[in-house]
Amino acid sequence: MGLTRNNRKTDPEIIIARDTDSELSSSEEEEEEEEDNYPLSESEEEDEAVKNGGKIELEKNKAKGKAPITVKLIKKVCKVCKQPGHEAGFKGATYIDCPMKPCFLCKMPGHTTMSCPHRVVTDHGILPTSHRNTKNPIDFVFKRQLQPRIPPIKPKYVIPDQVHCAVIRYHSRRVTCLEFHPTKNNILLSGDKKGQIGVWDFAKVYEKNVYGNIHSVQVNNMRFSPTNDDMVYSASSDGTIGYTDLETGTSSTLLNLNPDGWQGPNNWKMLYGMDINSEKGVVLAADNFGFLHMIDHRTNNGTGEPILIHKQGSKVVGLDCNPVQPELLLSCGNDHFARIWDMRKLQPKASLNDLAHKRVVNSAYFSPSSGTKILTTCQDNRIRIWDSIFGNLDLPSREIVHSNDFNRHLTPFKAEWDPKDTSESLIVVGRYISENYNGTALHPIDFIDASNGQLVAEVMDPNITTITPVNKLHPRDDVLASGSSRSLFIWRPQDKTEMVEEKKDKKIIVCSGDSKKKGKKQKRGSDDEDDEDDMFSSKGKNIKVNKSQAKTTKSTRKTKT
């Protein structure tokens, strides 16, 4: 499998979003900057010596006549197992394995992470899709009624591999979810950890709004109303479902699980998974205690009592309604299961199938056309695919080893289907483990063929050095939207990007204090979790960027040699 690189001929259109409100309240970031310029204290210098290792001589001239201080380090301490005598973890783009632990990628012993066969070849040990045996009556029905939705010959994959435009530091906290408008192709919605919802017209680039009056904390999911495409439902960790008019920014609360406010962490309810069943006329949302809540989207009133669908006390992080069979509901959660439900018989412990996983399941989706396949992303670094919901679901059809295991300061990785791919085989997912590209540690976005586990393409930009866990493919256009830290990026195929850019001069746009915020003002300070920011970051200082200073965008694609 060879590696090729496509050089950009033109520069992407970029906005660095820096709100006046945010700049006025960025004293914490400036304090951090000032602290970086202060000389280290004695103890801090010793800590620095510990990090650098070896024998380091520290000279102190606090008073005349004092002898220099010498620190001798004999043992190194591993950050992974906390044992002395060795080191482990990332050094640049290289991961050094702890000898006391298995491979960080596939979790198996006998080799290092950098030499892991699953890292070298993504389809290592994966069986391709087998031909179906039609002797079984259920298989015969599947082949006659549902299989025609899937063409026998795969269409050519179109990969959005070039950054077309971007908004840098659009959000004040990391991006948590993305959603394309159902009828307006150039409108992208984004939610963040602070509870804000952004509306961005990426065709005009500079037209962007951020609504900060909808939720008080993290937005976990968004869905457009099936009856009014200017209205959007949003589920948040503040325990509410918001119903927002995108034109005016006015929002109403349809469900509030914490009407009495904060009563302690053991009683605080948060909403994670959400989807809309148009056939049934209900909005479905699941909380962090394992319960499913329903709202009639025709009246926007709650319906029925909450139903326990996962282990009590566990988060239900994902819900997905089958696109063909509206009675089927797929859920996943922290109890290490993805479960299939019959909407007509929603009762505790009455699931149709329980798909067991080894760790937390970040997401679970039916295939977008036929609804007969299932795709899950798990924290054990596995992407699992079931080729048919009518067969034996005890074991997946295939497991793809992929770097999904992340730290708590990231939005969970979720592999998603390409909604335009009629063969239902192309999936997109961000990667956690970095790769060394010309001395720079980059985290690619992977396009994988779910039918055989092969890596179709890995796309990246040398300017995007942060991890990109949130990725959404456009349902109609060859466009990929990505959320990396606080920033948003729009990717298009290289040839289409060049055709569009021939019609107008591309330029890098730097916005200073022109971002339109609606709703109440949100105070923005530094956040340790999200401060690992971005290209073109300025930390409150004025920036001047011209076309000649912009770096060339690159992407790579793996193909068979």
Side-chain angles (χ1 to χ4, degrees), residues 46 49-56 70-78 83-87:
E46 291 179 7
V50 172
K51 292 179 182 178
N52 294 331
K55 180 180 178 181
I56 299 179
T70 302
V71 178
K72 293 183 179 179
L73 301 178
I74 301 175
K75 293 183 179 180
K76 300 177 181 179
V77 178
C78 174
Q83 298 296 320
H86 62 275
E87 289 182 314

Side-chain angles (χ1 to χ4, degrees), residues 170-190:
Y170 181 37
H171 285 276
S172 57
R173 294 293 184 270
R174 58 178 163 87
V175 176
T176 55
C177 55
L178 297 172
E179 194 74 17
F180 283 103
H181 197 280
T183 57
K184 300 175 183 177
N185 288 348
N186 299 323
I187 301 298
L188 176 69
L189 265 64
S190 54

Side-chain angles (χ1 to χ4, degrees), residues 6 159 254 310 319 384 386 390 402 407 477 529 554:
N6 300 322
I159 306 299
L254 305 184
H310 278 257
L319 294 174
R384 292 175 172 85
W386 282 262
F390 300 106
H402 188 268
N407 62 52
D477 289 344
E529 299 181 11
K554 295 181 179 179

Side-chain angles (χ1 to χ4, degrees), residues 101-115:
K101 299 287 184 178
C103 167
F104 181 77
L105 178 58
C106 71
K107 313 299 183 185
M108 300 296 290
H111 56 266
T112 66
T113 301
M114 302 308 289
S115 63

Side-chain angles (χ1 to χ4, degrees), residues 174-457:
R174 58 178 163 87
V175 176
T176 55
C177 55
L178 297 172
E179 194 74 17
F180 283 103
H181 197 280
T183 57
K184 300 175 183 177
N185 288 348
N186 299 323
I187 301 298
L188 176 69
L189 265 64
S190 54
D192 70 10
K193 187 188 171 190
K194 199 172 184 178
Q196 299 174 340
I197 292 180
V199 184
W200 181 32
D201 186 343
F202 56 85
K204 299 178 181 178
V205 182
Y206 52 83
E207 290 199 3
K208 52 189 176 63
N209 296 324
V210 177
Y211 299 115
N213 62 332
I214 302 170
H215 297 288
S216 58
V217 290
Q218 179 170 315
V219 180
N220 294 312
N221 253 305
M222 296 180 294
R223 292 291 186 273
F224 278 91
S225 170
T227 57
N228 186 349
D229 57 19
D230 285 329
M231 304 296 293
V232 64
Y233 295 94
S234 54
S236 169
S237 293
D238 61 8
T240 65
I241 291 181
Y243 188 56
T244 307
D245 187 334
L246 299 180
E247 293 294 327
T248 63
T250 57
S251 179
S252 59
T253 299
L254 305 184
L255 177 66
N256 186 359
L257 300 184
N258 305 294
D260 299 327
W262 177 258
Q263 300 293 326
N266 294 330
N267 298 317
W268 186 258
K269 296 179 180 179
M270 298 178 279
L271 290 171
Y272 285 91
M274 185 178 71
D275 202 6
I276 297 178
N277 191 320
S278 301
E279 297 289 332
K280 302 291 183 180
V282 292
V283 179
L284 306 166
D287 63 24
N288 58 323
F289 287 91
F291 285 89
L292 176 71
H293 305 263
M294 289 183 283
I295 294 175
D296 189 331
H297 72 67
R298 293 161 293 194
T299 61
N300 286 334
N301 294 322
T303 174
E305 294 295 324
I307 303 168
L308 184 66
I309 61 172
H310 278 257
K311 181 181 177 181
Q312 189 160 1
S314 64
K315 296 179 184 177
V316 183
V317 296
L319 294 174
D320 188 45
C321 297
N322 193 290
V324 178
Q325 303 292 333
E327 295 82 13
L328 295 181
L329 173 67
L330 181 61
S331 65
C332 63
N334 284 16
D335 60 353
H336 303 185
F337 280 94
R339 305 181 192 273
I340 304 176
W341 301 86
D342 187 338
M343 290 283 292
R344 298 165 297 186
K345 301 176 182 178
L346 275 175
Q347 296 176 358
K349 299 182 180 180
S351 57
L352 299 177
N353 289 98
D354 297 330
L355 312 180
H357 293 68
K358 294 181 180 179
R359 290 185 62 187
V360 172
V361 188
N362 294 340
S363 63
Y365 299 107
F366 288 113
S367 53
S369 298
S370 68
T372 59
K373 298 182 180 181
I374 291 177
L375 168 69
T376 66
T377 309
C378 184
Q379 282 288 89
D380 63 354
N381 279 350
R382 299 294 192 277
I383 296 172
R384 292 175 172 85
I385 297 99
W386 282 262
D387 286 332
S388 174
I389 59 176
F390 300 106
N392 185 356
L393 299 180
D394 292 340
L395 295 174
S397 303
R398 66 196 57 82
E399 292 184 358
I400 302 172
V401 175
H402 188 268
S403 182
N404 310 318
D405 191 2
F406 65 100
N407 62 52
R408 66 184 180 91
H409 300 316
L410 281 175
T411 302
F413 292 89
K414 299 178 181 181
E416 295 194 11
W417 300 100
D418 181 357
K420 303 178 299 298
D421 176 29
T422 54
S423 67
E424 297 184 335
S425 58
L426 186 64
I427 60 176
V428 62
V429 59
R431 190 190 306 177
Y432 178 66
I433 293 181
S434 60
E435 300 291 342
N436 190 349
Y437 293 96
N438 297 326
T440 304
L442 300 180
H443 302 266
I445 301 169
D446 293 330
F447 288 82
I448 300 174
D449 188 335
S451 65
N452 53 27
Q454 290 185 352
L455 181 64
V456 178

